[in-house]
Amino acid sequence: MADRDALPLPLEVRARLAELELELSEGDITQKGYEKKRSKLLGAYLPHPPGLEGSMAHDRRPPMAPSASRYHRRRSSGTRDERYRSVGLSPLSSLPPLTDTSSGSEEEGGQGEGTPTSSQGSISMEHWISRAIHQGSTTSSSSSSTQSGGSGAAGRLADVLAQTHVGKSENHSAPPDVTTYTSEHPVQVERPQVSTVPRTTPKYGNAKLMETGDGVPVSSRVSAKIQQLVNTLKQPRRPPLREFFVDDFEELLEVQQPDPNQPRPEGSQMVAIRGEPLGVVTNWPPSLEAALQRWGTISPKAPCLTTMDTNGKPLYVLTYGKLWSRSIKVAYNILHKLGTKQEPMVRPGDRVALVFPNNDPAAFMVAFYGCLLAEVVPVPIEVPLTRKDAGSQQIGFLLGSCGVTVALTSDACHKGLPKGPTGEIPQFKGWPKLLWFVTESKHLSKPPRDWFPHIKDANNDTAYIEYKTCKDGSVLGVTVTRIALLTHCQALTQSCGYTEAEIIVNVLDFKKDVGLWHGILTSVMNMMHVISIPYSLMKVNPLSWIQKVCQYKGKVACVKSRDMHWALVAHRDQRDVNLNSLRMLVVADGSNPWSISSCDAFLNVFQSKGLRPEVICPCASSAEALTVAIRRPTDDSNQPPGRGVLSMQGLSYSVIRVDSEERLSVLTVQDVGTVMPGALMCVVKPEGVPQLCRTDEIGELCVCSIATGMSYYGLSGMTKNTFEVFPMTSSGAPISEYPFIRTGLLGFIGPGGLVFVSGKMDGLMVVSGRRHNADDIVATALAVEPMKFVYRGRIAVFSVTVLHDERIVVVAEQRPDSTEEDSFQWMSRVLQAIDSIHNVGVFCLALVPANTLPKTPLGGIHLSETKQLFLEGSLHPCNVLMCPHTCVTNLPKPRQKQPEIGPASVMVGNLVSGKRIAQASGRDLGQIEDNDQARKFLFLSEVLQWRAQTTPDHVLFTLLSSRGTVLSSLTCLQLHKRAEKIAAMLMERGHLQDGDHVALVYPPGIDLVAAFYGCLYAGCVPITVRPPHPQNIATTLPTVKMIVEVSRSACVMTSQVISKLLKSKEASAAVDVRSWPPVLDTDDLPKKKPPQLYKPSNPDTLAYLDFSVSTTGMLAGVKMSHTATSAFCRSIKLQCELYPSREVAICLDPYCGLGFVLWCLCSVYSGHQSILIPPSELEVNPALWLLAVSQFRVRDTFCSYSVMELCTKGLGLQTESLKSRGLDLSRVRTCVVVAEERPRIALTQSFSKLFKDLGLHPRAVSTSFGCRVNLAICLQGTSGPDPTTVYVDMRALRHDRVRLVERGSPHSLPLMESGKILPGVRIIIANPETKGPLGDSHLGEIWVHCTHNGSGYFTVYGDEALQSDHFNSHLSFGDTQTVWARTGYLGFLRRTELTDASGERHDALYVVGALDEAMELRGMRYHPIDIETSVIRTHKSIMECAAFPWTNLLVVVVELEGSEQEALDLVPLVTNAVLEEHYLIVGVVVVVDIGVIPINSRGEKQRMHLRDGFLADQLDPIYVAYNM
């Protein structure tokens, strides 16, 4: 510490500092004031920090308030370095040796950790800490545990440091560079523990000032090491791999720029509006139970409630006397007859569920008041009809969280509940175990004479809990206290002018909301008579409520706008309707924007029937704030109600702009009256701090009143955010000391204190920064020829998040009689209407069959359940229209190709752009010394003759049947003899010259092998052709004919069966059978052998032609010379270490590529025995291949992806039975999948996992890679490192870049190495456009130079010119001499840490995909397989999928397994998945049956065939969706 002078602080300054700190911690002074005063105090004493280090520290870090509670505070969340909890919690816990430095990046980790630098010698940190701990006194003045996420040691240390005092000590043991001064005398300042924490929680890691143990803040000079550590915490984590590519290509989603012309609020700040005072009426009861007691004893005969049956006849009249006596009985039985005397089940204050059907208000009312009298808390809920009822599971969660154990119910309801086999009621899904208790009087025992309920004045105990369903479907319980309940009844009585014995007709649900408040509670307070109309009666007779108003001369009616609408539809046949007795028509959902049209239409029709306009009283309510506002009934018909015609455009920016009614894009809202008596209302911004809105701004209505809910039961956090809100003015001052309650309603307060509601918070959808209300969109959809095609009340609108923005989804129930054509017209009109009125696109519009959307108990749509079904793909729509093209505006910009860098600037020796050139090679064939006898022969035919002489009885080929038995086998001599006879036949019967082409049309087997060598013996060029499928001649025979013609075959050799097939009647329907060349069948061969065997003059002449159809539908024949054929066999022999003593099992198609070479050629060259298993036999017996491998104790086996898939799917459940049959795969050391594509990791991994139990070593499974120009480039041999897997960023791949990322990171794609490069093969990665070489880990085309390359295309059916450079390309710079063949596949090379057999570092080749198949969309390159993988994951019914481009649209074809009604569920799911994961809009989604997507024998999808079928309309799809 000698490098800086520290000035000791005088005592009075220290005392003043301690005082300041106390003020700050108690909140008497702001952080800013504290800083100011403190720096003034310390100014004279602080030495100035030297130069840069201090200034950097100063710039980067906000100062922090040192306070006692600092060690216990959670760090403020949301900071970028949230994940580095372990480091930097207290200033001292960030010293290197104490912390877990895992968060530092690799570079920093290594620089001599834990050697603190000091000017005078460095002492180990542990030594210093132990000294400090032993010297200091350990008084427990502050807490004993720290909120440190770091290692325990760091936590304990911080503790000790918080409590110890480092005395003045010699320099060497001082903490180096952590504090600048130590005090002269140990002064212990005991700081009070303060519980109030100021709002701004300082961030821990960024402390500029630290404190020493005696609580005095000091300036710090942090050592460079710690500074560096702290700085790393601020930096975002880098990809930990070294070879990543930092580039500016990162695809960024467009961020919606705010519209410069968007309307902004201009009014002044609003002031809170106070309702009229709540009048004190002398005879108002002190509590609701007191009111019941009063009416039950004074006028027991007065009617309280009349219930109706489904015919509209009065069913039952409940009088006040009956209500009183029965409620007492219920109260007594709840408290005394449940459980035992010592252990009653229900005590006062407990919660009980009330489960009553909607047609039995009397039983509900008795039970509800019984609970109030017993002082237990009723939780009214819906009757669970089935165990899967929409939302009933959530209600179960509510009951569980309320601790409900008893459910009160009626007799009829109890009988109707689902019963188990023994008659007990089963436990519903998600419900707690309940005791069901029937409240009918006849089931209850009479209370004793001396028992009487205790009737108190209303207090703050909970009276009841009302349930509320949230936007996400979860159910909350809102608690209402007894005083709130009473005050609310009083406020309603005052605002509605209720008087005794008035008659009120209630159509609403009496269990909650307006129906409960008016029809059950306030009615009893005023001794009114309620006529209750059940929903079931309304369904039968929508006019019933109007008839009851006439019949009973009802003064008040409580309805929803739906009831008014229904009455309108049904009123035509009514004559004697007279509504002049009605003084108040309460419209419960008057706050809904579309209720105004119902009110107007209703008034329009019924004004002539005595309805006065001023009678209609819309009200606004919410579960949290109870009644928010209600329009008062007036006698003055001159005062017109309030109307607002607002611009939709303005509303979407939460701004009120008055517009004219002529315009379409306006919303007309009606007022819902004024604020409730005794309440205070204001409007605050819906998000963030509850700041008051301006007068012309829409916000959330907040209410301060006694008559509101108190809390969400058991959820203190949510309660705080909703029930304890303190609205603030723009200066940040709260407007009232009392908390307000958020009502969940959006709106504004208009002139004259009228409240207008424009929507609900739950229905708010924010689409690219603009707000839209679900109800408004429903209203617009209904305005489009309503009623014709869809049901009025059955439209659901919600938003789903796709690609970082909300997207609007509209789901409606279609009428059964509307045709598909009608529906589409309606749908397109709705889309246009919503677009023109709301200026927002609808992402998806779906129509479902009538009555299929999940319902709420009173017939509405269960929104969250509908959304859930939509997202999981089980909504089953019958019509879908998706409009991603119009809605999704935040896609990244299409990529513009940059001009490439010229060669001069980038080539330096073996480096390209500073990277090693991406080139690799297998072992050099010339260098390898082995005792390979076959090497001395130039031709395979000579090798066979030599083997026939030296080892005549050695078996080369064994063919298995589908039962696993040996069908036939060939020794060296047998094969030689058979080939001789075939050669004789070709010369004799075929009259062929040497060099003529012969088509071999055989099933997979031994005849094919013999015919091949027969051709070589005769000097002919064989072409293997897959025979036509007897069940499918029409599609398979033309391909055979085409190959025969294109290859210019002089004759066709085949078996007897197939030769008949080729000339059959079915064949003549498919092709012209007369134009076949001569067909020879080899079943009866001549006895004699040819005079002499043909020996080619030049090894570069043609040995055979390899014909195949590529996945893009190209038919190409590749010329293979004798040199290439021999080199190929030698390369495979060396890689797989094949010797005559080996057996190899081959389950491949023997017609082209590596499959043919392994089946026909390798055995003859290497002398090993090939066990041949035709893949078609696996369809009969999927276990055939694995059983053969086990039975013959095979070490090496080859298969195709289709074989592997067959085994994985077909044997998935049979592993146990196979084990019992003795299947053992433990001897397998290589199981190679022969493929011409990117390795299918998921398939190989699931195969390995599945058969691991049968002894298969996971390392054994690998893949090979070949292509048309070179039939095998890579093949995982026996020696050499295991195949490696890397994870690349899919977004970078689209830009032709490779960026390696960690496993599991977003957008990562696993790529597995395609086996080891074969001996004699050289690979380079080149740019397919410029043909320049690329660097290591860059994506480009794979080019090959090797002796077993093909020598060219025999004929490409189609583009001859295009393909000319496939076999002889030269690099544009660098090594321009070597001749390369272009594979047409994109991939990259990466040097790994592993070493190969020669001791060099191993280069791994990763194949990404074929250039021909890649799709150029939006300027980027996509591989269909990636899109298909995303699509298959979206829904369990998608079995297979194929993607291809059509013009500039992406077409996705999915095969549906399951019922056809699921077809349309897939359209939105597929569209969403591709958008989210690939930033692409799917243009067309085609849903087809299983098996429609063509797959070739190698298991590759024939996407171009599929595309041709799609364009020719031959797919016979279940559904085609054209996304707009």
Side-chain angles (χ1 to χ4, degrees):
M1 304 268 159
D3 55 348
R4 238 202 266 177
D5 299 328
L7 300 175
L9 285 178
L11 274 174
E12 63 271 24
V13 173
R14 256 185 249 166
R16 183 76 194 93
L17 276 174
E19 243 172 79
L20 260 183
E21 211 165 284
L22 188 63
E23 282 178 23
L24 175 72
S25 62
E26 286 180 340
D28 299 340
I29 180 173
T30 63
Q31 177 82 27
K32 207 167 177 185
Y34 166 79
E35 298 292 339
K36 209 167 171 184
K37 287 187 174 173
R38 200 191 53 172
S39 54
K40 217 174 189 175
L41 275 172
L42 294 179
Y45 303 97
L46 283 186
H48 291 290
L52 178 83
E53 198 181 291
S55 67
M56 267 174 64
H58 188 72
D59 290 347
R60 292 255 178 98
R61 309 160 167 204
M64 164 176 166
S67 72
S69 53
R70 175 162 117 204
Y71 289 109
H72 325 283
R73 270 196 222 144
R74 296 281 307 278
R75 74 185 286 143
S76 57
S77 61
T79 53
R80 175 184 264 168
D81 34 31
E82 192 61 6
R83 48 179 147 16
Y84 307 113
R85 278 267 170 84
S86 57
V87 184
L89 285 187
S90 69
L92 287 164
S93 69
S94 57
L95 296 170
L98 310 175
T99 50
D100 152 25
T101 49
S102 58
S103 54
S105 69
E106 293 181 304
E107 293 81 46
E108 282 120 12
Q111 306 170 353
E113 287 182 13
T115 51
T117 52
S118 142
S119 52
Q120 306 178 344
S122 65
I123 294 287
S124 83
M125 193 61 96
E126 287 83 347
H127 174 67
W128 167 67
I129 287 167
S130 60
R131 286 282 300 268
I133 291 172
H134 294 313
Q135 281 176 3
S137 57
T138 49
T139 47
S140 56
S141 62
S142 89
S143 97
S144 60
S145 74
T146 51
Q147 183 79 55
S148 153
S151 54
R156 285 196 297 281
L157 169 76
D159 256 359
V160 174
L161 288 176
Q163 299 165 7
T164 56
H165 155 69
V166 181
K168 184 177 184 196
S169 47
E170 304 78 53
N171 266 345
H172 69 255
S173 67
D177 289 355
V178 173
T179 55
T180 50
Y181 98 115
T182 46
S183 73
E184 294 290 321
H185 311 285
V187 182
Q188 293 244 318
V189 183
E190 286 281 336
R191 277 177 290 162
Q193 283 285 292
V194 182
S195 59
T196 53
V197 178
R199 283 280 165 90
T200 53
T201 45
K203 291 191 197 129
Y204 286 122
N206 303 348
K208 174 171 187 276
L209 283 137
M210 302 185 185
E211 329 170 313
T212 46
D214 53 4
V216 181
V218 290
S219 153
S220 66
R221 187 169 71 91
V222 180
S223 75
K225 179 74 200 190
I226 297 173
Q227 177 69 52
Q228 184 188 13
L229 223 156
V230 173
N231 286 350
T232 22
L233 297 190
K234 294 185 198 164
Q235 293 160 2
R237 196 90 186 253
R238 297 208 198 116
L241 291 158
R242 288 191 184 78
E243 58 223 85
F244 63 90
F245 214 53
V246 179
D247 206 343
D248 50 356
F249 76 85
E250 219 34 291
E251 288 175 68
L252 294 171
L253 293 174
E254 289 284 302
V255 178
Q256 203 70 29
Q257 293 307 317
D259 176 3
N261 308 322
Q262 75 178 51
R264 299 185 196 291
E266 293 151 8
S268 56
Q269 187 172 299
M270 71 153 306
V271 287
I273 304 286
R274 203 174 279 286
E276 74 231 45
L278 188 54
V280 181
V281 180
T282 45
N283 65 347
W284 271 357
S287 67
L288 205 54
E289 309 91 289
L292 173 59
Q293 178 186 20
R294 177 172 161 192
W295 306 129
T297 45
I298 297 176
S299 38
K301 295 275 188 291
C304 166
L305 177 79
T306 302
T307 61
M308 299 288 155
D309 64 9
T310 40
N311 302 320
K313 299 274 183 296
L315 190 63
Y316 181 75
V317 177
L318 180 70
T319 60
Y320 276 94
K322 283 265 186 333
L323 176 59
W324 170 237
S325 60
R326 289 182 187 171
S327 303
I328 290 180
K329 208 170 181 181
V330 169
Y332 173 75
N333 279 271
I334 291 176
L335 292 175
H336 297 90
K337 295 293 173 192
L338 293 174
T340 61
K341 263 203 171 124
Q342 285 71 37
E343 266 304 306
M345 264 185 86
V346 180
R347 294 193 168 93
D350 286 353
R351 275 78 45 211
V352 297
L354 265 52
V355 185
F356 289 90
N358 288 312
N359 56 6
D360 196 354
F364 173 82
M365 203 165 184
V366 168
F368 190 91
Y369 280 103
C371 290
L372 287 186
L373 291 174
E375 294 182 50
V376 301
V377 179
V379 186
I381 56 165
E382 307 303 338
V383 178
L385 300 172
T386 60
R387 300 192 62 173
K388 293 198 304 289
D389 215 10
S392 102
Q393 189 172 345
Q394 295 292 340
I395 288 190
F397 292 150
L398 170 70
L399 296 183
S401 62
C402 288
V404 172
T405 52
V406 173
L408 308 186
T409 186
S410 69
D411 214 359
C413 180
H414 190 258
K415 290 197 173 93
L417 286 170
K419 303 277 193 301
T422 55
E424 86 292 349
I425 293 165
Q427 197 171 337
F428 296 101
K429 194 171 176 206
W431 283 45
K433 203 160 173 41
L434 294 179
L435 171 75
W436 293 84
F437 182 67
V438 176
T439 57
E440 247 81 350
S441 253
K442 58 185 183 205
H443 298 291
L444 304 180
S445 43
K446 264 185 124 167
R449 286 273 169 81
D450 55 352
W451 190 84
F452 202 71
H454 178 46
I455 290 175
K456 304 192 237 183
D457 290 359
N459 56 11
N460 275 325
D461 294 345
T462 304
Y464 70 97
I465 293 178
E466 178 167 321
Y467 80 86
K468 168 208 175 177
T469 307
C470 301
K471 187 176 185 173
D472 61 358
S474 56
V475 173
L476 308 175
V478 177
T479 60
V480 180
T481 61
R482 290 172 176 253
I483 189 76
L485 168 67
L486 182 69
T487 314
H488 188 221
C489 289
Q490 293 169 349
L492 283 178
T493 302
Q494 182 173 327
S495 36
C496 301
Y498 284 146
T499 54
E500 284 181 24
E502 260 191 321
I503 288 180
I504 173 168
V505 175
N506 180 28
V507 193
L508 306 172
D509 180 3
F510 51 78
K511 294 193 284 300
K512 55 188 291 213
D513 216 69
V514 182
L516 172 69
W517 306 330
H518 289 259
I520 301 284
L521 307 176
T522 311
S523 58
V524 168
M525 182 175 132
N526 296 301
M527 201 189 89
M528 293 158 69
H529 179 192
V530 179
I531 314 290
S532 189
I533 313 277
Y535 175 61
S536 49
L537 170 57
M538 284 294 289
K539 280 208 288 201
V540 180
N541 174 10
L543 274 175
S544 49
W545 70 271
I546 292 186
Q547 292 161 355
K548 293 299 165 249
V549 170
C550 304
Q551 181 183 340
Y552 286 94
K553 297 276 179 284
K555 290 289 189 67
V556 180
C558 297
V559 297
K560 275 193 150 158
S561 45
R562 176 185 70 187
D563 307 321
M564 297 160 78
H565 176 79
W566 282 1
L568 284 179
V569 178
H571 86 280
R572 293 189 179 79
D573 41 354
Q574 277 312 100
R575 301 256 170 343
D576 46 353
V577 170
N578 185 358
L579 294 181
N580 61 8
S581 67
L582 214 51
R583 68 174 187 83
M584 185 177 191
L585 178 59
V586 179
V587 184
D589 55 352
S591 58
N592 198 327
W594 29 288
S595 67
I596 186 167
S597 57
S598 294
C599 293
D600 289 352
F602 188 77
L603 180 63
N604 204 9
V605 168
F606 286 98
Q607 202 161 359
S608 56
K609 312 260 169 99
L611 181 70
R612 302 189 300 285
E614 65 274 14
V615 164
I616 295 181
C617 297
C619 79
S621 66
S622 80
E624 291 84 358
L626 310 187
T627 307
V628 176
I630 187 164
R631 199 186 287 170
R632 316 295 196 261
T634 56
D635 300 330
D636 175 18
S637 54
N638 303 332
Q639 187 193 352
R643 289 258 152 141
V645 181
L646 310 178
S647 138
M648 280 283 187
Q649 167 76 354
L651 281 180
S652 69
Y653 293 107
S654 297
V655 177
I656 300 161
R657 290 288 176 266
V658 177
D659 214 320
S660 63
E661 284 216 42
E662 291 74 67
R663 300 266 306 277
L664 270 175
S665 55
V666 295
L667 174 70
T668 308
V669 288
Q670 60 182 349
D671 73 285
V672 287
T674 49
V675 184
M676 294 299 286
L680 189 62
M681 183 188 283
C682 66
V683 185
V684 302
K685 304 223 156 107
E687 277 98 31
V689 182
Q691 199 182 349
L692 286 182
C693 288
R694 294 170 179 265
T695 47
D696 60 344
E697 196 176 359
I698 298 275
E700 185 174 7
L701 304 181
C702 288
V703 174
C704 174
S705 158
I706 299 173
T708 57
M710 262 307 284
S711 67
Y712 291 129
Y713 187 88
L715 300 168
S716 49
M718 287 179 74
T719 296
K720 203 168 178 54
N721 295 339
T722 305
F723 293 89
E724 297 167 27
V725 176
F726 291 92
M728 310 219 266
T729 58
S730 50
S731 63
I735 61 168
S736 154
E737 55 187 306
Y738 296 109
F740 278 68
I741 288 176
R742 289 183 182 270
T743 60
L745 300 173
L746 293 168
F748 59 97
I749 299 175
L754 293 179
V755 179
F756 290 88
V757 175
S758 63
K760 290 191 178 71
M761 283 295 287
D762 275 357
L764 197 63
M765 302 180 290
V766 183
V767 181
S768 47
R770 290 176 53 219
R771 299 158 188 278
H772 303 278
N773 222 290
D775 289 330
D776 298 340
I777 289 179
V778 170
T780 304
L782 285 176
V784 180
E785 298 176 80
M787 323 302 295
K788 238 186 194 169
F789 307 115
V790 296
Y791 291 103
R792 181 184 167 89
R794 313 288 300 153
I795 294 188
V797 172
F798 50 85
S799 65
V800 295
T801 305
V802 180
L803 207 62
H804 311 297
D805 199 358
E806 290 188 41
R807 315 282 178 196
I808 296 177
V809 178
V810 180
V811 182
E813 281 189 3
Q814 178 179 328
R815 289 181 175 271
D817 46 2
S818 55
T819 65
E820 191 159 342
E821 189 49 43
D822 293 341
S823 307
F824 266 110
Q825 280 204 315
W826 180 82
M827 288 160 92
S828 46
R829 284 195 196 123
V830 167
L831 293 177
Q832 286 163 356
I834 292 175
D835 187 50
S836 58
I837 293 175
H838 301 271
N839 286 318
V840 67
V842 173
F843 182 64
C844 176
L845 177 50
L847 292 183
V848 297
N851 268 325
T852 55
L853 286 181
K855 285 189 173 70
T856 57
L858 279 184
I861 289 179
H862 200 294
L863 244 179
S864 56
E865 200 82 3
T866 305
K867 177 174 173 176
Q868 194 52 43
L869 291 175
F870 173 81
L871 288 174
E872 63 194 29
S874 36
L875 195 60
H876 307 329
C878 46
N879 264 322
V880 168
L881 205 48
M882 301 273 307
C883 310
H885 291 280
T886 47
C887 288
V888 180
T889 52
N890 61 338
L891 283 173
K893 289 194 173 71
R895 170 189 179 208
Q896 259 78 47
K897 287 268 173 79
Q898 299 300 322
E900 288 291 337
I901 317 164
S905 61
V906 289
M907 265 311 270
V908 185
N910 266 358
L911 296 176
V912 180
S913 331
K915 293 237 174 191
R916 197 178 64 83
I917 284 190
Q919 56 185 358
S921 53
R923 290 180 291 168
D924 187 348
L925 278 174
Q927 309 269 310
I928 301 172
E929 286 305 319
D930 62 344
N931 49 0
D932 186 354
Q933 300 295 314
R935 257 177 92 180
K936 56 181 185 280
F937 302 106
L938 287 173
F939 306 103
L940 266 180
S941 49
E942 294 179 338
V943 178
L944 177 57
Q945 291 163 40
W946 166 69
R947 286 204 186 281
Q949 283 161 9
T950 53
T951 54
D953 300 328
H954 176 64
V955 178
L956 284 181
F957 297 99
T958 306
L959 178 70
L960 297 188
S961 71
S962 61
R963 290 206 290 288
T965 52
V966 176
L967 263 184
S968 53
S969 60
L970 278 180
T971 62
C972 302
L973 185 61
Q974 286 169 334
L975 177 58
H976 169 66
K977 289 266 172 39
R978 186 94 185 266
E980 280 185 330
K981 290 176 182 169
I982 290 173
M985 180 169 116
L986 281 172
M987 292 168 182
E988 239 173 66
R989 295 196 204 157
H991 311 297
L992 296 185
Q993 310 298 310
D994 50 328
D996 277 348
H997 296 182
V998 178
L1000 312 182
V1001 186
Y1002 287 96
I1006 283 173
D1007 292 346
L1008 177 68
V1009 182
F1012 179 82
Y1013 288 100
C1015 289
L1016 293 189
Y1017 280 2
C1020 298
V1021 177
I1023 298 117
T1024 47
V1025 184
R1026 174 191 307 281
H1029 197 291
Q1031 271 84 52
N1032 198 356
I1033 284 189
T1035 51
T1036 53
L1037 191 62
T1039 313
V1040 177
K1041 188 89 167 60
M1042 193 159 136
I1043 294 176
V1044 169
E1045 281 169 5
V1046 172
S1047 63
R1048 310 197 186 112
S1049 296
C1051 95
V1052 174
M1053 269 207 298
T1054 181
S1055 67
Q1056 207 165 359
V1057 180
I1058 293 173
S1059 79
K1060 284 183 183 152
L1061 189 66
L1062 293 181
K1063 296 175 176 167
S1064 66
K1065 206 156 72 187
E1066 291 89 347
S1068 57
V1071 297
D1072 177 11
V1073 290
R1074 289 167 307 186
S1075 61
W1076 284 115
V1079 177
L1080 306 176
D1081 84 63
T1082 52
D1083 286 2
D1084 54 333
L1085 292 172
K1087 293 283 175 277
K1088 59 180 186 182
K1089 57 184 195 179
Q1092 97 235 28
L1093 296 183
Y1094 171 80
K1095 183 172 182 203
S1097 52
N1098 175 0
D1100 291 332
T1101 53
L1102 207 52
Y1104 71 98
L1105 283 177
D1106 187 292
F1107 261 91
S1108 76
V1109 179
S1110 73
T1111 49
T1112 48
M1114 301 275 290
L1115 174 67
V1118 175
K1119 297 190 278 196
M1120 289 295 284
S1121 68
H1122 287 283
T1123 314
T1125 309
S1126 299
F1128 198 171
C1129 290
R1130 172 159 160 73
S1131 184
I1132 290 175
K1133 172 186 190 307
L1134 292 170
Q1135 189 82 330
C1136 298
E1137 298 177 9
L1138 300 174
Y1139 305 108
S1141 56
R1142 292 275 153 84
E1143 284 103 16
V1144 175
I1146 297 167
C1147 188
L1148 288 167
D1149 269 325
Y1151 300 106
C1152 62
L1154 182 55
F1156 164 73
V1157 174
L1158 289 165
W1159 189 281
C1160 290
L1161 312 183
C1162 286
S1163 271
V1164 169
Y1165 187 91
S1166 311
H1168 61 269
Q1169 180 184 350
S1170 291
I1171 294 154
L1172 308 177
I1173 306 157
S1176 51
E1177 303 289 6
L1178 261 69
E1179 288 168 18
V1180 186
N1181 175 10
L1184 172 65
W1185 167 50
L1186 295 177
L1187 284 166
V1189 167
S1190 166
Q1191 178 190 340
F1192 288 91
R1193 306 184 167 202
V1194 167
R1195 289 174 63 179
D1196 305 284
T1197 178
F1198 296 85
C1199 70
S1200 64
Y1201 278 124
S1202 33
V1203 166
M1204 196 167 260
E1205 199 160 15
L1206 245 171
C1207 290
T1208 312
K1209 286 184 177 166
L1211 305 175
L1213 304 170
Q1214 298 177 29
T1215 46
E1216 283 308 311
S1217 69
L1218 289 172
K1219 205 170 186 173
S1220 61
R1221 284 165 66 183
L1223 182 65
D1224 174 22
L1225 302 176
S1226 57
R1227 287 185 197 80
V1228 176
R1229 58 173 187 173
T1230 56
C1231 166
V1232 179
V1233 186
V1234 172
E1236 298 189 8
E1237 57 180 297
R1238 177 201 303 175
R1240 301 188 198 173
I1241 293 197
L1243 180 56
T1244 54
Q1245 282 179 349
S1246 52
F1247 178 80
S1248 306
K1249 270 199 197 113
L1250 191 58
F1251 296 106
K1252 196 172 117 199
D1253 294 349
L1254 297 175
L1256 179 67
H1257 198 291
R1259 287 172 48 180
V1261 181
S1262 62
T1263 66
S1264 70
F1265 171 65
C1267 59
R1268 299 317 308 125
V1269 299
N1270 184 318
L1271 307 180
I1273 295 168
C1274 301
L1275 175 65
Q1276 183 72 30
T1278 46
S1279 58
D1282 292 340
T1284 51
T1285 299
V1286 293
Y1287 291 82
V1288 297
D1289 187 328
M1290 225 161 15
R1291 292 165 308 182
L1293 272 189
R1294 293 171 208 156
H1295 293 259
D1296 293 341
R1297 305 235 201 278
V1298 177
R1299 179 169 176 225
L1300 300 182
V1301 291
E1302 292 285 7
R1303 175 181 181 174
S1305 57
H1307 299 280
S1308 63
L1309 171 75
L1311 291 177
M1312 184 164 90
E1313 184 188 344
S1314 297
K1316 300 289 165 287
I1317 300 169
L1318 281 167
V1321 176
R1322 270 179 68 200
I1323 291 180
I1324 194 161
I1325 305 292
N1327 181 319
E1329 278 92 33
T1330 63
K1331 301 190 180 178
L1334 290 173
D1336 195 68
S1337 293
H1338 280 51
L1339 188 71
E1341 188 181 4
I1342 302 166
W1343 287 17
V1344 201
H1345 170 78
C1346 143
T1347 42
H1348 66 252
N1349 277 0
S1351 27
Y1353 285 123
F1354 176 66
T1355 40
V1356 171
Y1357 201 60
D1359 324 312
E1360 273 88 349
L1362 264 180
Q1363 318 293 341
S1364 58
D1365 69 340
H1366 275 197
F1367 290 88
N1368 45 12
S1369 282
H1370 294 273
L1371 288 172
S1372 55
F1373 59 92
D1375 166 15
T1376 52
Q1377 302 309 307
T1378 313
V1379 177
W1380 298 90
R1382 302 179 59 171
T1383 62
Y1385 281 81
L1386 287 173
F1388 61 96
L1389 277 166
R1390 177 170 165 264
R1391 179 148 278 190
T1392 63
E1393 300 296 326
L1394 308 166
T1395 48
D1396 56 24
S1398 58
E1400 294 291 313
R1401 275 177 67 189
H1402 166 65
D1403 291 302
L1405 173 67
Y1406 299 93
V1407 178
V1408 173
L1411 268 166
D1412 291 349
E1413 295 249 295
M1415 306 182 282
E1416 284 270 335
L1417 294 165
R1418 310 189 76 247
M1420 290 172 275
R1421 202 192 305 268
Y1422 287 88
H1423 295 277
I1425 182 72
D1426 296 327
I1427 293 173
E1428 290 157 4
T1429 307
S1430 299
V1431 168
I1432 285 179
R1433 281 205 303 260
T1434 57
H1435 196 277
K1436 58 180 188 305
S1437 302
I1438 299 179
M1439 285 316 285
E1440 189 51 271
C1441 158
F1444 53 82
W1446 168 47
T1447 62
N1448 57 351
L1449 290 178
L1450 172 64
V1451 181
V1452 174
V1453 180
V1454 293
E1455 288 184 358
L1456 169 76
E1457 180 189 55
S1459 68
E1460 293 199 355
Q1461 64 174 30
E1462 287 181 11
L1464 279 90
D1465 284 318
L1466 306 181
V1467 178
L1469 294 182
V1470 168
T1471 309
N1472 292 2
V1474 176
L1475 254 176
E1476 282 277 357
E1477 294 180 29
H1478 303 279
Y1479 303 161
L1480 277 183
I1481 292 175
V1482 180
V1484 188
V1485 181
V1486 187
V1487 184
V1488 295
D1489 294 309
I1490 287 185
V1492 170
I1493 295 174
I1495 289 179
N1496 69 11
S1497 60
R1498 295 194 293 273
E1500 298 163 340
K1501 291 174 199 162
Q1502 305 277 275
R1503 298 184 183 90
M1504 293 306 123
H1505 280 314
L1506 184 67
R1507 176 181 157 162
D1508 297 341
F1510 167 70
L1511 296 178
D1513 202 15
Q1514 293 163 346
L1515 298 186
D1516 186 23
I1518 299 171
Y1519 191 82
V1520 182
Y1522 292 91
N1523 288 344
M1524 293 164 67

